[in-house]
Short mmCIF file of all heavy atoms in Angstrom, two decimals:
data_model
loop_
_atom_site.label_atom_id
_atom_site.label_comp_id
_atom_site.label_asym_id
_atom_site.label_seq_id
_atom_site.Cartn_x
_atom_site.Cartn_y
_atom_site.Cartn_z
N LEU A 1 -34.80 -9.81 -20.84
CA LEU A 1 -34.35 -11.00 -20.12
C LEU A 1 -35.36 -12.13 -20.17
O LEU A 1 -35.06 -13.29 -20.42
CB LEU A 1 -34.04 -10.61 -18.66
CG LEU A 1 -33.55 -11.77 -17.74
CD1 LEU A 1 -32.29 -12.34 -18.32
CD2 LEU A 1 -33.35 -11.28 -16.33
N ARG A 2 -36.63 -11.75 -20.00
CA ARG A 2 -37.71 -12.73 -20.15
C ARG A 2 -37.82 -13.29 -21.56
O ARG A 2 -38.13 -14.48 -21.73
CB ARG A 2 -39.02 -12.11 -19.66
CG ARG A 2 -39.13 -11.85 -18.20
CD ARG A 2 -40.53 -11.42 -17.80
NE ARG A 2 -40.65 -11.25 -16.34
CZ ARG A 2 -41.77 -10.92 -15.73
NH1 ARG A 2 -42.89 -10.73 -16.45
NH2 ARG A 2 -41.77 -10.75 -14.41
N SER A 3 -37.60 -12.44 -22.50
CA SER A 3 -37.59 -12.91 -23.87
C SER A 3 -36.52 -13.91 -24.13
O SER A 3 -36.66 -14.95 -24.80
CB SER A 3 -37.39 -11.72 -24.90
OG SER A 3 -38.52 -10.81 -24.71
N LEU A 4 -35.33 -13.66 -23.57
CA LEU A 4 -34.22 -14.55 -23.69
C LEU A 4 -34.44 -15.86 -23.02
O LEU A 4 -34.19 -16.92 -23.57
CB LEU A 4 -32.93 -13.91 -23.13
CG LEU A 4 -31.63 -14.77 -23.13
CD1 LEU A 4 -31.23 -15.11 -24.55
CD2 LEU A 4 -30.52 -13.99 -22.45
N LEU A 5 -35.03 -15.82 -21.82
CA LEU A 5 -35.33 -17.04 -21.08
C LEU A 5 -36.41 -17.88 -21.82
O LEU A 5 -36.34 -19.07 -21.87
CB LEU A 5 -35.81 -16.70 -19.66
CG LEU A 5 -34.74 -16.13 -18.70
CD1 LEU A 5 -35.38 -15.72 -17.42
CD2 LEU A 5 -33.61 -17.12 -18.47
N ALA A 6 -37.43 -17.16 -22.40
CA ALA A 6 -38.48 -17.82 -23.15
C ALA A 6 -37.87 -18.59 -24.38
O ALA A 6 -38.30 -19.66 -24.67
CB ALA A 6 -39.53 -16.87 -23.57
N TYR A 7 -36.87 -17.94 -25.00
CA TYR A 7 -36.25 -18.59 -26.15
C TYR A 7 -35.39 -19.77 -25.70
O TYR A 7 -35.45 -20.83 -26.31
CB TYR A 7 -35.37 -17.57 -26.88
CG TYR A 7 -34.52 -18.29 -27.95
CD1 TYR A 7 -35.07 -18.83 -29.03
CD2 TYR A 7 -33.11 -18.42 -27.72
CE1 TYR A 7 -34.24 -19.47 -29.99
CE2 TYR A 7 -32.33 -19.08 -28.59
CZ TYR A 7 -32.91 -19.56 -29.74
OH TYR A 7 -32.09 -20.24 -30.66
N ILE A 8 -34.63 -19.58 -24.62
CA ILE A 8 -33.74 -20.66 -24.18
C ILE A 8 -34.43 -21.96 -23.83
O ILE A 8 -33.93 -23.06 -24.08
CB ILE A 8 -32.86 -20.12 -22.97
CG1 ILE A 8 -31.84 -19.08 -23.46
CG2 ILE A 8 -32.13 -21.28 -22.30
CD1 ILE A 8 -31.11 -18.39 -22.27
N ILE A 9 -35.65 -21.82 -23.27
CA ILE A 9 -36.35 -23.07 -22.85
C ILE A 9 -37.28 -23.54 -24.01
O ILE A 9 -37.94 -24.56 -23.75
CB ILE A 9 -37.22 -22.78 -21.60
CG1 ILE A 9 -38.31 -21.70 -21.89
CG2 ILE A 9 -36.36 -22.38 -20.44
CD1 ILE A 9 -39.24 -21.49 -20.72
N SER A 10 -37.19 -22.97 -25.15
CA SER A 10 -38.00 -23.44 -26.25
C SER A 10 -37.41 -24.71 -26.86
O SER A 10 -36.20 -24.96 -26.72
CB SER A 10 -38.09 -22.39 -27.35
OG SER A 10 -36.81 -22.14 -27.96
N PRO A 11 -38.18 -25.65 -27.41
CA PRO A 11 -37.69 -26.91 -27.90
C PRO A 11 -36.54 -26.76 -28.93
O PRO A 11 -35.55 -27.49 -28.85
CB PRO A 11 -38.90 -27.56 -28.56
CG PRO A 11 -40.07 -26.96 -27.89
CD PRO A 11 -39.64 -25.56 -27.55
N MET A 12 -36.61 -25.86 -29.86
CA MET A 12 -35.57 -25.74 -30.88
C MET A 12 -34.27 -25.19 -30.27
O MET A 12 -33.17 -25.58 -30.69
CB MET A 12 -36.07 -24.73 -31.98
CG MET A 12 -37.09 -25.32 -32.88
SD MET A 12 -36.60 -26.92 -33.61
CE MET A 12 -35.08 -26.52 -34.44
N ALA A 13 -34.39 -24.33 -29.26
CA ALA A 13 -33.18 -23.84 -28.58
C ALA A 13 -32.47 -24.95 -27.83
O ALA A 13 -31.23 -25.03 -27.83
CB ALA A 13 -33.54 -22.70 -27.62
N ILE A 14 -33.22 -25.80 -27.22
CA ILE A 14 -32.66 -26.97 -26.49
C ILE A 14 -31.97 -27.89 -27.51
O ILE A 14 -30.90 -28.44 -27.23
CB ILE A 14 -33.77 -27.73 -25.70
CG1 ILE A 14 -34.25 -26.79 -24.60
CG2 ILE A 14 -33.23 -29.04 -25.14
CD1 ILE A 14 -35.48 -27.38 -23.89
N ILE A 15 -32.59 -28.14 -28.62
CA ILE A 15 -31.96 -28.95 -29.69
C ILE A 15 -30.62 -28.35 -30.16
O ILE A 15 -29.67 -29.01 -30.32
CB ILE A 15 -32.92 -29.13 -30.87
CG1 ILE A 15 -34.09 -30.07 -30.46
CG2 ILE A 15 -32.20 -29.78 -32.07
CD1 ILE A 15 -35.18 -30.15 -31.49
N ASP A 16 -30.68 -27.01 -30.37
CA ASP A 16 -29.43 -26.31 -30.81
C ASP A 16 -28.34 -26.46 -29.73
O ASP A 16 -27.15 -26.74 -30.08
CB ASP A 16 -29.74 -24.81 -30.93
CG ASP A 16 -30.59 -24.51 -32.16
OD1 ASP A 16 -30.64 -25.42 -33.06
OD2 ASP A 16 -31.17 -23.47 -32.23
N LEU A 17 -28.71 -26.42 -28.44
CA LEU A 17 -27.74 -26.58 -27.43
C LEU A 17 -27.15 -27.99 -27.36
O LEU A 17 -25.97 -28.19 -27.23
CB LEU A 17 -28.32 -26.18 -26.05
CG LEU A 17 -27.43 -26.29 -24.82
CD1 LEU A 17 -26.25 -25.36 -24.96
CD2 LEU A 17 -28.24 -25.97 -23.55
N LEU A 18 -28.02 -28.97 -27.46
CA LEU A 18 -27.58 -30.40 -27.41
C LEU A 18 -26.67 -30.70 -28.61
O LEU A 18 -25.86 -31.57 -28.53
CB LEU A 18 -28.81 -31.30 -27.37
CG LEU A 18 -29.61 -31.31 -26.06
CD1 LEU A 18 -30.84 -32.21 -26.25
CD2 LEU A 18 -28.84 -31.76 -24.90
N ALA A 19 -26.92 -29.99 -29.73
CA ALA A 19 -26.12 -30.26 -30.91
C ALA A 19 -24.67 -29.86 -30.76
O ALA A 19 -23.76 -30.45 -31.39
CB ALA A 19 -26.74 -29.54 -32.11
N ILE A 20 -24.37 -28.87 -29.92
CA ILE A 20 -22.99 -28.42 -29.75
C ILE A 20 -22.45 -28.81 -28.35
O ILE A 20 -21.27 -28.64 -28.10
CB ILE A 20 -22.86 -26.91 -29.91
CG1 ILE A 20 -23.68 -26.18 -28.84
CG2 ILE A 20 -23.35 -26.48 -31.33
CD1 ILE A 20 -23.46 -24.67 -28.82
N LEU A 21 -23.27 -29.36 -27.49
CA LEU A 21 -22.84 -29.69 -26.13
C LEU A 21 -21.68 -30.65 -26.12
O LEU A 21 -20.75 -30.46 -25.26
CB LEU A 21 -24.05 -30.29 -25.34
CG LEU A 21 -23.84 -30.52 -23.89
CD1 LEU A 21 -23.55 -29.19 -23.11
CD2 LEU A 21 -25.03 -31.23 -23.27
N PRO A 22 -21.60 -31.74 -26.92
CA PRO A 22 -20.51 -32.63 -26.81
C PRO A 22 -19.11 -32.00 -27.02
O PRO A 22 -18.09 -32.54 -26.56
CB PRO A 22 -20.81 -33.66 -27.91
CG PRO A 22 -22.26 -33.60 -28.13
CD PRO A 22 -22.61 -32.17 -27.90
N PHE A 23 -19.08 -30.92 -27.75
CA PHE A 23 -17.79 -30.22 -27.97
C PHE A 23 -17.32 -29.40 -26.79
O PHE A 23 -16.17 -29.43 -26.39
CB PHE A 23 -17.93 -29.29 -29.18
CG PHE A 23 -16.63 -28.58 -29.56
CD1 PHE A 23 -15.64 -29.21 -30.30
CD2 PHE A 23 -16.45 -27.26 -29.12
CE1 PHE A 23 -14.46 -28.51 -30.60
CE2 PHE A 23 -15.29 -26.60 -29.37
CZ PHE A 23 -14.27 -27.22 -30.11
N TYR A 24 -18.26 -28.70 -26.18
CA TYR A 24 -17.87 -27.77 -25.05
C TYR A 24 -17.86 -28.45 -23.67
O TYR A 24 -17.13 -27.96 -22.81
CB TYR A 24 -18.89 -26.64 -24.97
CG TYR A 24 -18.77 -25.70 -26.17
CD1 TYR A 24 -19.77 -25.61 -27.11
CD2 TYR A 24 -17.73 -24.83 -26.29
CE1 TYR A 24 -19.68 -24.76 -28.18
CE2 TYR A 24 -17.59 -23.92 -27.39
CZ TYR A 24 -18.59 -23.91 -28.30
OH TYR A 24 -18.50 -23.03 -29.38
N LEU A 25 -18.59 -29.54 -23.50
CA LEU A 25 -18.66 -30.15 -22.19
C LEU A 25 -17.30 -30.63 -21.68
O LEU A 25 -16.99 -30.38 -20.48
CB LEU A 25 -19.70 -31.31 -22.26
CG LEU A 25 -20.13 -31.83 -20.87
CD1 LEU A 25 -20.82 -30.73 -20.07
CD2 LEU A 25 -21.12 -33.03 -21.05
N PRO A 26 -16.45 -31.33 -22.47
CA PRO A 26 -15.15 -31.75 -21.95
C PRO A 26 -14.25 -30.58 -21.60
O PRO A 26 -13.31 -30.71 -20.75
CB PRO A 26 -14.57 -32.57 -23.11
CG PRO A 26 -15.74 -32.91 -23.91
CD PRO A 26 -16.67 -31.86 -23.81
N ILE A 27 -14.48 -29.41 -22.25
CA ILE A 27 -13.66 -28.23 -21.96
C ILE A 27 -14.07 -27.62 -20.58
O ILE A 27 -13.20 -27.21 -19.84
CB ILE A 27 -13.83 -27.17 -23.06
CG1 ILE A 27 -13.41 -27.72 -24.41
CG2 ILE A 27 -13.07 -25.89 -22.69
CD1 ILE A 27 -13.68 -26.80 -25.58
N LEU A 28 -15.34 -27.67 -20.28
CA LEU A 28 -15.85 -27.10 -19.07
C LEU A 28 -15.56 -27.97 -17.82
O LEU A 28 -15.24 -27.50 -16.77
CB LEU A 28 -17.34 -26.75 -19.21
CG LEU A 28 -17.68 -25.74 -20.31
CD1 LEU A 28 -19.20 -25.66 -20.43
CD2 LEU A 28 -17.06 -24.40 -20.02
N ILE A 29 -15.81 -29.32 -17.97
CA ILE A 29 -15.68 -30.20 -16.85
C ILE A 29 -14.94 -31.46 -17.28
O ILE A 29 -15.13 -31.89 -18.44
CB ILE A 29 -17.05 -30.58 -16.22
CG1 ILE A 29 -17.99 -31.21 -17.33
CG2 ILE A 29 -17.73 -29.36 -15.60
CD1 ILE A 29 -19.32 -31.74 -16.78
N PRO A 30 -14.11 -32.09 -16.40
CA PRO A 30 -13.48 -33.34 -16.78
C PRO A 30 -14.53 -34.40 -16.93
O PRO A 30 -15.52 -34.49 -16.22
CB PRO A 30 -12.60 -33.59 -15.53
CG PRO A 30 -12.49 -32.29 -14.81
CD PRO A 30 -13.79 -31.57 -15.07
N ILE A 31 -14.33 -35.25 -17.95
CA ILE A 31 -15.34 -36.28 -18.27
C ILE A 31 -14.66 -37.58 -18.76
O ILE A 31 -13.63 -37.51 -19.40
CB ILE A 31 -16.32 -35.71 -19.31
CG1 ILE A 31 -17.52 -36.61 -19.48
CG2 ILE A 31 -15.59 -35.50 -20.62
CD1 ILE A 31 -18.61 -36.03 -20.31
N ASP A 32 -15.25 -38.64 -18.42
CA ASP A 32 -14.74 -39.97 -18.82
C ASP A 32 -14.80 -40.07 -20.32
O ASP A 32 -15.78 -39.76 -20.98
CB ASP A 32 -15.59 -41.03 -18.19
CG ASP A 32 -14.94 -42.42 -18.40
OD1 ASP A 32 -14.08 -42.60 -19.26
OD2 ASP A 32 -15.39 -43.38 -17.67
N LEU A 33 -13.66 -40.47 -20.97
CA LEU A 33 -13.64 -40.56 -22.42
C LEU A 33 -14.66 -41.56 -22.99
O LEU A 33 -15.16 -41.39 -24.09
CB LEU A 33 -12.24 -40.96 -22.88
CG LEU A 33 -11.13 -39.88 -22.67
CD1 LEU A 33 -9.78 -40.44 -23.12
CD2 LEU A 33 -11.47 -38.61 -23.42
N ARG A 34 -14.95 -42.58 -22.22
CA ARG A 34 -15.99 -43.56 -22.66
C ARG A 34 -17.33 -42.91 -22.72
O ARG A 34 -18.08 -43.11 -23.65
CB ARG A 34 -15.98 -44.75 -21.74
CG ARG A 34 -14.75 -45.66 -21.83
CD ARG A 34 -14.75 -46.72 -20.74
NE ARG A 34 -14.76 -46.10 -19.42
CZ ARG A 34 -14.80 -46.82 -18.30
NH1 ARG A 34 -14.90 -48.14 -18.33
NH2 ARG A 34 -14.77 -46.20 -17.12
N PHE A 35 -17.61 -42.06 -21.73
CA PHE A 35 -18.89 -41.38 -21.72
C PHE A 35 -18.91 -40.29 -22.82
O PHE A 35 -19.98 -40.09 -23.44
CB PHE A 35 -19.09 -40.73 -20.37
CG PHE A 35 -20.34 -39.86 -20.29
CD1 PHE A 35 -21.58 -40.52 -20.21
CD2 PHE A 35 -20.33 -38.49 -20.20
CE1 PHE A 35 -22.77 -39.78 -20.19
CE2 PHE A 35 -21.48 -37.75 -20.15
CZ PHE A 35 -22.70 -38.42 -20.11
N LEU A 36 -17.78 -39.70 -23.12
CA LEU A 36 -17.65 -38.73 -24.18
C LEU A 36 -18.03 -39.33 -25.51
O LEU A 36 -18.74 -38.67 -26.35
CB LEU A 36 -16.27 -38.10 -24.18
CG LEU A 36 -15.97 -37.09 -25.32
CD1 LEU A 36 -16.91 -35.88 -25.18
CD2 LEU A 36 -14.54 -36.64 -25.30
#
């Protein structure tokens, strides 16, 4: 678990997450299309 948390907060893991976030975010929460 600590290994997983250490990886998740690493810079490259954050970049990986931000790279796919725009696709999943509208599915999880309603969002303004202009902001999307």
